[in-house]
């Protein structure tokens, strides 16, 4: 396919450009400073180390996904990847040399890497868009899904992936089998949204028989099954739920990591936190920190600490979720919220043991009560300690629905490991540069939340 040739060519060109520039400056300047004895061997090994780090970070940040990522997203992913790799090798040079080496030549190469990467990705994306054809797609809906909900789901997909999907038909799960066969014959892909267990099984079998690409939204029990292991006690397969979030060795290791990384985090970000604190105080003279009661593991309530990003007494008229362009947000608040810098003081909650670096975000007490009434399964999210960042923060947004947040957080809870924690922390660097991740609730969402609150109150 022509589109695949475009993506493969783009990947090769970006890698050659960034690795080539690094090799040029390393061999031309830094290698001579780092290695006097093993100049050739040291240079080769350093370039190999750079390739492994750069390629690994690109895979982590999905930096080569021309088809499914925007130009800005790919440029950000690439910039983070080669910048971290450049920094690591620069530190290596200083450590081996045992004295300071100028970073100016390297900084110039980083600028060229950014410019070249942006140019290659922009041209590749335009060429890709000109040769790709959206797949004719059938959207199958569960019986409980309203047409309004279906339209919102469709709009969310088309907003970002209109070049990949063309919704030719929208049908409910009770569709006549004959009509389903007719629809499948005209479509290349099927998306199943909110189907019942029985109907999903039937439609999945139809898709497999017809060899169609299909996607489906997981149910809570599907995600919980990921925390199971196979047991061969009989000739009948058995699955055992392992309660991975109660593993004491993993929990102890996680706490040690939280304390060690928390100390490093505090020292590293101390200058930035001091600047933010001064800016908040200068703007309106109000308190620097904002405290609020939140829920963590087993529903335990604690006071979360954040930099104040709104006017003093922003909720004097009651609980009001943040909306886009919220007038209560201060000038400093707009900046620190955009890059999530208002969350930095939560490192003190982590050191105190109320939170962890990676886990479900702590919800307000009022929201937990509301969500649990509306969605009883929400209590499973409280099986682990609340986190500074988490699965829902990486793959969701501020206004992601409670049910989708629950599914995202359960994916973490049932698959957690130290490796996954480190991966999420690294991915958080990318999320900080994505404005959509901190979008406020739309006014319609606020209205819905208030309506539900009145109904269950």
């Amino acid at each position: 396919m022509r589109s695949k040739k475009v993506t493969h060519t783009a990947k090769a060109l970006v890698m050659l450009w960034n690795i080539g520039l690094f090799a040029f400056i390393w061999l031309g300047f830094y290698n001579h400073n780092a290695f006097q004895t093993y100049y050739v061997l040291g240079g080769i090994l350093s370039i190999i180390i750079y390739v492994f780090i750069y390629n690994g970070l690109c895979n982590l940040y999905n930096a080569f996904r021309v088809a499914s990522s925007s130009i800005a997203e790919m440029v950000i992913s690439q910039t983070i990847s080669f910048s971290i790799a450049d920094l690591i090798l620069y530190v290596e040079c200083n450590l081996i040399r045992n004295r300071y080496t100028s970073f100016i030549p390297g900084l110039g190469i980083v600028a060229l890497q950014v410019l070249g990467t942006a140019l290659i990705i922009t041209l590749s994306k335009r060429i890709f868009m000109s040769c790709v054809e959206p797949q004719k797609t059938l959207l199958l809906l569960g019986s409980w899904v309203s047409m309004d909900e279906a339209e919102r789901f469709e709009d969310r997909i088309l907003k970002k992936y209109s070049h990949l999907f063309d919704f030719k038909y929208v049908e409910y799960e009770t569709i006549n089998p004959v009509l389903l066969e007719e629809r499948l014959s005209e479509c290349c892909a099927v998306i199943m949204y909110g189907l019942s267990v029985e109907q999903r099984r039937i439609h999945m079998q139809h898709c497999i028989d017809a060899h169609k690409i299909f996607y489906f939204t997981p149910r809570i029990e599907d995600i919980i099954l990921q925390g199971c292991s196979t047991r061969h006690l009989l000739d009948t397969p058995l699955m055992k739920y392992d309660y991975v979030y109660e593993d004491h060795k993993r929990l102890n290791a996680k706490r040690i990591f939280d304390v060690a990384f928390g100390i490093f985090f505090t020292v590293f970000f101390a200058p930035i936190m001091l600047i933010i604190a001064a800016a908040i105080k200068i703007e309106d003279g109000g308190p620097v920190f904002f405290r609020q009661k939140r829920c963590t593991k087993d529903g335990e309530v604690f006071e979360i600490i954040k930099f104040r990003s709104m006017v003093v007494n922003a909720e004097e008229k009651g609980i009001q979720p943040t909306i886009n362009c919220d007038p209560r947000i201060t000038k400093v608040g707009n900046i620190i919220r955009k890059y999530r810098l208002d969350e930095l003081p939560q490192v003190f909650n982590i050191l105190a043991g109320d939170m962890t670096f990676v886990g479900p975000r702590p919800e307000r007490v009022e929201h937990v009560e509301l969500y649990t009434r509306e969605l009883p399964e929400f209590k499973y999210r409280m099986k682990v300690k609340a986190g500074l960042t988490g699965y829902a923060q990486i793959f969701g947004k501020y206004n992601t629905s409670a049910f989708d947040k629950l599914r995202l957080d359960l994916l973490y809870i049932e698959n957690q490991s130290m490796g996954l924690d480190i991966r999420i922390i690294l991915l958080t660097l990318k999320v900080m540069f994505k404005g959509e991740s901190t979008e406020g609730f739309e006014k319609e969402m606020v209205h819905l939340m208030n309506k539900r609150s009145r109904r269950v109150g």
Side-chain angles (χ1 to χ4, degrees), residues 116-147:
T117 297
L119 179 62
I120 294 170
I121 288 175
T122 300
L123 292 174
S124 300
K125 187 72 174 183
R126 288 181 178 177
I127 295 171
F128 176 84
M129 294 294 283
S130 67
C131 65
V132 71
E133 185 177 344
Q135 292 182 323
K136 289 182 173 58
T137 305
L138 166 64
L139 176 59
L140 277 176
L141 307 172
S143 300
W144 64 272
V145 180
S146 67
M147 286 309 298

Side-chain angles (χ1 to χ4, degrees), residues 216-233:
F216 63 91
T217 52
R219 300 173 65 84
I220 297 298
E221 54 268 31
D222 296 328
I223 300 173
I224 290 177
L225 282 173
Q226 295 184 20
C228 296
S229 58
T230 306
R231 289 291 183 268
H232 298 289
L233 304 180

Side-chain angles (χ1 to χ4, degrees), residues 4 6 37 43 58 85 91 164 241 248 250 257 313 397:
K4 286 200 175 291
V6 173
T37 306
C58 283
V91 172
L164 299 180
Y241 188 62
H248 293 293
R250 184 179 288 117
F257 174 82
N313 299 322
K397 298 189 293 186

Side-chain angles (χ1 to χ4, degrees), residues 114-358:
V114 173
L115 291 173
T117 297
L119 179 62
I120 294 170
I121 288 175
T122 300
L123 292 174
S124 300
K125 187 72 174 183
R126 288 181 178 177
I127 295 171
F128 176 84
M129 294 294 283
S130 67
C131 65
V132 71
E133 185 177 344
Q135 292 182 323
K136 289 182 173 58
T137 305
L138 166 64
L139 176 59
L140 277 176
L141 307 172
S143 300
W144 64 272
V145 180
S146 67
M147 286 309 298
D148 285 343
E149 176 69 18
E151 287 175 6
R152 283 196 295 270
F153 178 75
E154 186 177 341
D155 289 342
R156 282 161 54 201
I157 290 181
L158 294 180
K159 183 178 180 180
K160 192 172 182 180
Y161 303 112
S162 59
H163 60 290
L164 299 180
F165 300 104
D166 173 20
F167 287 102
K168 189 173 178 63
Y169 300 108
V170 178
E171 302 286 353
Y172 277 93
E173 62 183 1
T174 52
I175 182 175
N176 183 283
V178 177
L179 182 59
L180 176 63
E181 292 293 336
E182 183 182 322
R183 296 285 190 255
L184 284 176
S185 66
E186 298 180 45
C187 296
C188 300
V190 178
I191 296 180
M192 305 177 199
Y193 180 68
L195 270 61
S196 63
V197 174
E198 183 59 27
Q199 289 296 324
R200 188 180 69 182
R201 182 188 64 79
I202 293 170
H203 293 309
M204 286 174 67
Q205 190 59 55
H206 279 299
C207 291
I208 293 171
D209 291 341
H211 201 70
K212 300 294 182 180
I213 298 170
F214 66 93
Y215 309 81
F216 63 91
T217 52
R219 300 173 65 84
I220 297 298
E221 54 268 31
D222 296 328
I223 300 173
I224 290 177
L225 282 173
Q226 295 184 20
C228 296
S229 58
T230 306
R231 289 291 183 268
H232 298 289
L233 304 180
L234 303 168
D235 52 358
T236 300
L238 293 173
M239 301 294 288
K240 176 180 175 290
Y241 188 62
D242 291 327
Y243 294 94
V244 292
Y245 48 83
E246 293 182 355
D247 187 322
H248 293 293
K249 290 182 179 179
R250 184 179 288 117
L251 289 173
N252 290 335
K254 191 177 179 75
R255 181 58 186 157
I256 292 171
F257 174 82
D258 283 341
V259 173
F261 189 61
I263 294 171
F264 168 79
F265 187 94
T266 304
V267 173
F268 185 82
F269 282 100
I272 297 175
M273 287 196 280
L274 288 172
I275 293 170
I276 294 172
I280 293 171
K281 199 69 178 176
I282 291 170
E283 182 174 8
D284 61 12
V288 170
F289 297 111
F290 170 73
R291 299 173 185 271
Q292 191 178 71
K293 293 189 181 300
R294 299 285 182 101
C295 289
T296 185
K297 184 178 180 182
D298 298 327
E300 184 178 340
V301 178
F302 72 102
E303 274 199 341
I304 198 170
I305 307 171
K306 302 173 72 173
F307 280 124
R308 183 174 59 84
S309 60
M310 290 188 174
V311 297
V312 180
N313 299 322
E315 293 189 338
E316 59 184 356
K317 295 181 180 179
I319 298 172
Q320 300 177 41
T322 310
I323 62 173
N324 290 329
C325 303
D326 199 313
R328 297 172 299 163
I329 300 176
T330 63
K331 292 178 181 178
V332 174
N334 267 317
I335 297 172
I336 62 176
R337 287 173 72 94
K338 182 178 181 180
Y339 299 105
R340 295 193 171 189
L341 298 177
D342 59 320
E343 312 281 0
L344 290 179
Q346 289 169 47
V347 67
F348 302 119
N349 289 119
I350 293 171
L351 292 173
D354 297 322
M355 293 173 58
T356 180
F357 269 102
V358 181

Side-chain angles (χ1 to χ4, degrees), residues 254 358 412 416-426:
K254 191 177 179 75
V358 181
Y412 167 75
Q416 61 182 297
S417 66
M418 188 58 68
L420 181 58
D421 283 3
I422 294 172
R423 179 170 179 261
I424 290 174
I425 289 172
L426 290 172

Side-chain angles (χ1 to χ4, degrees), residues 77-95:
S77 298
Q78 284 287 338
T79 301
I80 294 173
S81 299
F82 61 66
S83 294
I84 292 176
D86 289 337
L87 180 61
I88 290 173
L89 269 295
Y90 171 73
V91 172
E92 175 201 297
C93 176
N94 283 286
L95 290 175

